[in-house]
Amino acid sequence: MTAGRQRRVTLCAKTTVVSAIPVRPGKTHSLSALDHAMTRHFLHLVFYFRAAPALTKSRLMYSLSEVLSYYPAVTGRLHRQPVEDAGAGSGSEWSWVVKCTDAGLRFVEARAHATLDEWLASATDEEEMELAHSEPMGHDPSIWSSYCVQLTEFDDGAVAIGLSSAHINADLTSAILLVRAWSDAHRRACIVFPPFLHAPALEPRPNPNPRSALFSSKSAAAAAAAASTEPVATAKMSSATFVFSDASVKCLLSDAGDASPFDALAALFWTRIAAPELGAADLTLGIDMRKRMHAPLPYAFYGNAFHFYSVHGVDLGAGLSRVAADLRRAGEGVREEDFWEAVEWLHERRPGRREAEPAFQVYGPELTCVEVDRDAFAYGTPFEDNDGSRPAHVTCRVDGVEGAGLVLVMPAAAEGAARQVVVTLPDDVVAKLCRDASIAKYEPTVLFASAGVKKG
């Protein structure tokens, strides 16, 4: 919280919500190599809703308890488990596993001393994260809840639902679909995307490609590990959200040529964050692989299923349309084989593995740009059966970002091509972007910037 600024969010109570149906004794949920790679990171989501009769604490806690019956891994606790097939003399080899003990998740109640419109117009990035309570892992993870839900009521009766999760559990798609399943249960509707809890779906193949050991693919994991396995020295990081209307994105697409909204926005922000005069530059891109595989995973696959790959040697001075085209071609060139090579490489180097390196930065040290929620799941989460009950705004953040920073591109509340870009970057870079004429040309609304940064 910025010094001298009065705190507007007050925590009122904390409790635990358990599932309505107990889990059978002894049930566990294993974590994949992709899950283990996310050890350093946390997810934070905030869903904002206008005042509605159905959004009361008692009703929300009841429906949350019901939907948690589908998510035993959410209510469980992390444990270190010895690897049985490690071989003789393996000694300290272990992996993380979730023991589905019905311990429940943390549920926090809070008050925000502002109306929703006042909050959206004035809240800083630090204030917004006060709506998504999280607790660091203590010395004993078996008593720590890796999921927290916060219900915050505004002065006008609007509410914010904040969800925080250790990234080792799942990715942003899984976290968004957990809230969507909650909204379905709350409306007594069919859960459209019930979770698919099957971590072995991403286990290494029985006959892995020999290239996986050398890891010569384009995935960014090896590059990140080679750059640093220790925290990256970095300036103070801050965030801001840029909301682009349907008309603004269409204007950008006319300037960017044959590109998707993601390619165009990634190119726009990359060229403004980096220094075009330096010539060739590198970028890490993250995409959800669930539906990009020959045997697709269900949308509701629970876990981490994003693939991070590097784009090398792009000339940022060549213009927006050229950079966007380079990003489009790089995305089209991602093969399923690249993804499996990354899975197999990470499996051999996961935390707890013999002679393994410690967990490294996935979001950094190189600038990382991630495409989130392509099918607008975040805004398909109404808690009432009417068109006006969709979220007024949704924010996604990743904690533990270091180095050059992170750019998340996701749909916005408005329909059509509207998008929002959530950046987590060094302080001075965020301030520069908020004043950048090339971005201002597309008239974004700037939300949740640091105190002192002028908002558009």
Side-chain angles (χ1 to χ4, degrees), residues 269-293:
F269 277 80
W270 188 18
T271 56
R272 306 319 302 164
I273 292 168
E277 63 273 12
L278 297 180
D282 300 338
L283 178 70
T284 296
L285 294 170
I287 55 173
D288 193 333
M289 289 295 292
R290 285 169 172 81
K291 293 302 178 183
R292 291 172 175 258
M293 301 165 69

Side-chain angles (χ1 to χ4, degrees), residues 205-217 337 340-341 344-345 348-349:
R205 296 168 295 186
N207 299 301
N209 190 325
R211 290 197 337 146
S212 301
L214 300 174
F215 204 57
S216 56
S217 79
E337 181 65 25
W340 284 112
E341 286 181 16
E344 288 152 6
W345 188 90
E348 292 301 315
R349 289 157 181 81

Side-chain angles (χ1 to χ4, degrees), residues 58-80:
S58 59
R59 292 182 64 179
L60 286 167
M61 290 181 70
Y62 182 83
S63 57
L64 177 59
S65 177
E66 287 191 322
V67 80
L68 288 178
S69 299
Y70 295 88
Y71 283 90
V74 170
T75 58
R77 296 293 183 263
L78 284 169
H79 287 257
R80 290 184 176 185

Side-chain angles (χ1 to χ4, degrees), residues 264-435:
L265 286 165
L268 174 64
F269 277 80
W270 188 18
T271 56
R272 306 319 302 164
I273 292 168
E277 63 273 12
L278 297 180
D282 300 338
L283 178 70
T284 296
L285 294 170
I287 55 173
D288 193 333
M289 289 295 292
R290 285 169 172 81
K291 293 302 178 183
R292 291 172 175 258
M293 301 165 69
H294 177 70
L297 289 171
Y299 274 125
F301 169 79
Y302 177 83
N304 285 280
F306 274 67
H307 177 55
F308 293 84
Y309 62 100
S310 292
V311 179
H312 299 291
V314 175
D315 182 4
L316 298 185
L320 178 65
S321 60
R322 174 68 177 275
V323 175
D326 287 343
L327 294 182
R328 176 180 57 79
R329 282 192 294 270
E332 291 172 349
V334 173
R335 306 167 306 148
E336 183 176 349
E337 181 65 25
D338 297 328
F339 176 63
W340 284 112
E341 286 181 16
V343 169
E344 288 152 6
W345 188 90
L346 288 167
H347 179 76
E348 292 301 315
R349 289 157 181 81
R350 68 185 185 275
R353 192 80 172 170
R354 290 169 292 176
E355 301 179 2
E357 296 289 346
F360 50 83
Q361 288 295 131
V362 176
Y363 302 95
E366 190 174 81
L367 181 66
T368 306
C369 187
V370 177
E371 183 178 16
V372 180
D373 190 23
R374 175 181 298 177
D375 293 303
F377 290 135
Y379 288 97
T381 52
F383 278 77
E384 284 194 322
D385 287 314
N386 62 72
D387 292 338
S389 64
R390 296 170 71 247
H393 181 76
V394 178
T395 291
C396 298
R397 302 261 200 98
V398 178
D399 200 6
V401 175
E402 297 179 345
L406 172 65
V407 177
L408 296 176
V409 180
M410 60 181 290
E415 296 185 359
R419 293 292 189 276
Q420 63 189 43
V421 178
V422 182
V423 301
T424 302
L425 303 163
D427 250 350
D428 59 332
V429 179
V430 174
K432 181 184 79 170
L433 291 181
C434 291
R435 299 188 297 267

Side-chain angles (χ1 to χ4, degrees), residues 49 94 98 137 167 216 241 245 250 281 293 314 332 395 444:
F49 295 91
W94 55 271
V98 178
M137 181 189 293
H167 207 329
S216 56
T241 299
S245 68
K250 289 177 178 176
M293 301 165 69
V314 175
E332 291 172 349
T395 291

